[in-house]
Amino acid sequence: QVQLVESGGGVVQPGKSLRLSCAASAFTFANYAMHWVRQAPGKGLEWVSLISFDGNEKYYADSVKGRFTISRDNSTNTLFLQMSSLRREDTGLYFCVSSSFGLDVWGLGTTVTVSS
Amino acid sequence: EIVMTQSPLSLPVAPGEPASISCRSSQSLLHSNGYIYLDWFLQKPGQSPHLLIYLGSNRASGVPDRFSGSGSGTIFTLNISRVGAEDVGTYYCMQALQTPYIFGQGTRLEIK
């Protein structure tokens, strides 16, 4: 079945970098826009970033603009989120999401903890 | 940036009773193409969110027909005709008209 599996999370010090990956399977990845959505511990959902199906258009939340970079490799069905200059408030569960009609397929998420 | 406001934030409902969640946007979510870019999600405890309603009133695949979405312009409603134990969780609206996409604060539904 359609599946998104995130990886790359971990514990990192403030100011450092981390790269998240999302492996897609059982659907034509190259046809769909992709998103990252995050959730701080005990908090609500926050949209982080969007990339078009072909990678030509990228959008970011103001809270991550200039620090995070979204990208994709349609040859390997993988979505990425390069996170730099990490802050404590970036701590949370990061979901990879595909969108056809709405944000309709979600991964289980990977946890990022920014702490010294 | 569009601001999304949900109410109530907590919603206790008896089994079999209806439930209604409101979502208000700071500007119209009606696109020039005629579609309303408002989605609804449910996040059950310990799970990833999943899509319930897209484009204001369209049920996502596999969503029971007791869930319905309505509204226009800036005021939207998610209705559950008969609440069951499986509906417990936090419901979010989200505007997808323009970036940054914005979620509402969430409405926690519990069974009385």
Side-chain angles (χ1 to χ4, degrees), chain A residues 35 37 39 42-47 50 59-62 95 101-104 106-109, chain B residues 1 39 41 43 47-51 54-55 60 92 94 96 99-105 108:
Chain A
H35 304 253
V37 175
Q39 186 168 36
K43 301 297 185 182
L45 301 173
E46 180 186 16
W47 177 84
L50 157 66
Y59 305 92
Y60 300 94
D62 289 346
F95 297 102
F101 294 101
L103 276 63
D104 54 355
W106 294 64
L108 295 180
Chain B
E1 178 176 304
D39 301 332
F41 301 87
Q43 185 174 30
Q47 296 186 16
S48 302
H50 68 270
L51 180 68
Y54 64 94
L55 295 177
Y92 297 91
M94 186 198 79
T99 59
Y101 290 5
I102 301 294
F103 288 92
Q105 313 97 301
R108 182 169 293 184

Side-chain angles (χ1 to χ4, degrees), chain A residues 65-114:
Chain A
K65 200 173 295 182
R67 300 188 299 121
F68 289 12
T69 301
I70 192 171
S71 62
R72 65 191 297 160
D73 184 340
N74 286 345
S75 68
T76 61
N77 295 339
T78 308
L79 176 72
F80 302 101
L81 186 67
Q82 179 68 46
M83 305 185 294
S84 60
S85 302
L86 282 162
R87 305 168 179 168
R88 287 184 172 81
E89 55 265 34
D90 295 318
T91 293
L93 183 60
Y94 284 70
F95 297 102
C96 166
V97 191
S98 70
S99 62
S100 54
F101 294 101
L103 276 63
D104 54 355
V105 181
W106 294 64
L108 295 180
T110 186
T111 299
V112 173
T113 303
V114 183

